[in-house]
Amino acid sequence: MTKADRSDADAQETGAAPAAPTAASPAFAYTPLLPTDGAGPAMRRLDIDGVNEVRTQINGEETSFLQVAPSTLTDLAEVAFKEVSHYLRTDHLASLRAIIDDPEASDNDVFVALDLLKNASVSAGEILPMCQDTGTAIVSAKRGPNVLTDGDDAKHFSAGIHRAYEELNLRYSQLAPLSLFEEKNTGTNLPAQIEVGLSPQDDYELLFMAKGGGSANKSFLYQETKAVLNESSMLDFLAEKISTLGTAACPPYHLAVVIGGPSAEFTLKTAKLASAHYLDDLPTSGNASGHGFRDVDFEDTVFQLTQKLGFGAQFGGKYFCHDVRVVRLPRHNGSLPIAIAVSCSADRQIVARINADGVFIEELEHDPARFLPAMGRVEEIESGNVTEVDLDRPMPELQSQLSGLAVGDRLSLSGTMIVARDIVHANLRERLNNGGQLPDYFKDHPIYYAGPAKTPEGMPSGSFGPTTASRMDTYVREFQEAGGSMIMLAKGNRSAQVKESCAEFGGFYLGSIGGPAARLAQDCITDVEVLDMEDLGMEAVWRIRVEDFPAFIITDDKGHDFFDSTGPETTIGLGRTRTTQDGARLD
């Protein structure tokens, strides 16, 4: 009697309806969810010892094992985070140069691309990291069955990360929760996020990432339905969601879109890996087995969409993205997760591999200066209509000068600024709520939202680029009403409440280029001193002096905002009508 016969007999005894006949199940066929198959990036061998091949007899057969010492993992992690803090991939730099050479690129696209290339050249000196936010340390690894360690791999990687952040001019950004609401900086940039999985290969493959808060904050998950699974609806959906990324995470971006997934967390993780170009070797078509694949044609379609949004490389234009990756995953029939993630201008990831031949690491570009244009072209890009602003004049005079300019105008700032970010703003709000006043320095000088990396010996400043302005949006009206924050400097677009407050109280928001923190430290910041709240470490109040610090007027005292009017092919403000070059609606 077959299983179906027994089921029907049981049903007759109980009076239940017999089981409905079913088609035969497909034969077992395994496929990994993300089957990458390619040579991977070009690598170089590191002079790191501690990898030995061990042969032994198992069930009468000689078997080879790869024994990896703890010190090997520690040394590799240290090298990896030094590399990603100072160097970028060759194709990323080539993409920046392509922007400069594109006659269709906006002047601001070209200006930003040049500044980012100059920043890469400064960072390659291995003194100033490319970004002041030197990131959360992430290790994603796969270890083959014949690779032997002592099993405490995460501990050994963490030791190398600790060494890198201690010895290099990086920044400690990790906060330990002491209680549900109380935090303290760990002072080591640990703990790191370390995940080690299994692989059938005879090696140990690793992806090291330094993920800054700005780009990490632009990872999004949406729970959708089959209604968006057609090209028209998907493009409408993506146009809306990609527009919300804004410019705060330092575009041009490497954008990843993942459609589907067996779980929400897997979809998000896949988007992060895709944004790092770690899944470039996925198949380019799907089949009934259900593995993930890249849709390269739709990648080009989405890339063209991003060029019409108008954000450009931070201040208007077509280069919101370097490229786009679109990954399609299997899904449960009642769930359709979609994830979006970006890798920013600090495109910091590197692949490594340990095998019987030794320890290898991806070859990043160690001569970024070769991508800079000729000096005559550099001078042409940097020339044009630039207004010099002396920041050491009284605040009313500064406001009067800026009031005579237009949003989008480029400035060259020289003089004194006050540096203050999240915790300082929270502390000052508490002071106001308790009946106190804003300090005079908050009223007399422009406020720069930033926090430095460690200062190299003999230099006035460590890497010191802007942080995301929108995190301080809720403070602006309260502070401007109290006479402070009349001129603010940071990166990214801001909410309507900032525009409304500036119009009411005569304030201004100036946009700084997000990304060139090393170049700003070397070329623009001449003096740095702690002014207040020293116990906050890098989040203290700083007084800095700058020379020829580049900025753009984003929001003025009349309520005008640059991102409300960046041209016919732009997003006319977030959430407003998007149009193409010929004025046709995108939504």
Side-chain angles (χ1 to χ4, degrees), residues 376-396:
R377 176 65 172 137
V378 170
E379 292 173 351
E380 177 187 357
I381 294 169
E382 293 180 337
S383 64
N385 188 16
V386 183
T387 300
E388 296 186 358
V389 179
D390 179 4
L391 301 178
D392 288 329
R393 290 176 298 155
M395 182 58 68

Side-chain angles (χ1 to χ4, degrees), residues 522-564:
Q522 175 181 278
D523 300 339
C524 301
I525 300 175
T526 62
D527 186 67
V528 176
E529 63 174 327
V530 177
L531 183 63
D532 197 3
M533 306 185 198
E534 185 173 3
D535 59 302
L536 298 181
M538 71 90 182
E539 290 215 47
V541 179
W542 305 78
R543 180 192 286 119
I544 67 173
R545 291 191 59 80
V546 300
E547 291 181 2
D548 195 22
F549 193 108
F552 295 80
I553 298 179
I554 303 301
T555 306
D556 68 11
D557 59 342
K558 305 167 191 66
H560 300 144
D561 190 277
F562 176 78
F563 290 105
D564 286 347

Side-chain angles (χ1 to χ4, degrees), residues 33-34 258-262 266-267 270 290-293 327-331:
L33 282 172
L34 299 171
V258 178
I259 301 168
F266 189 85
T267 302
T270 302
H291 64 70
F293 65 92
V327 176
R328 181 66 159 91
L329 293 176
R331 69 184 183 95

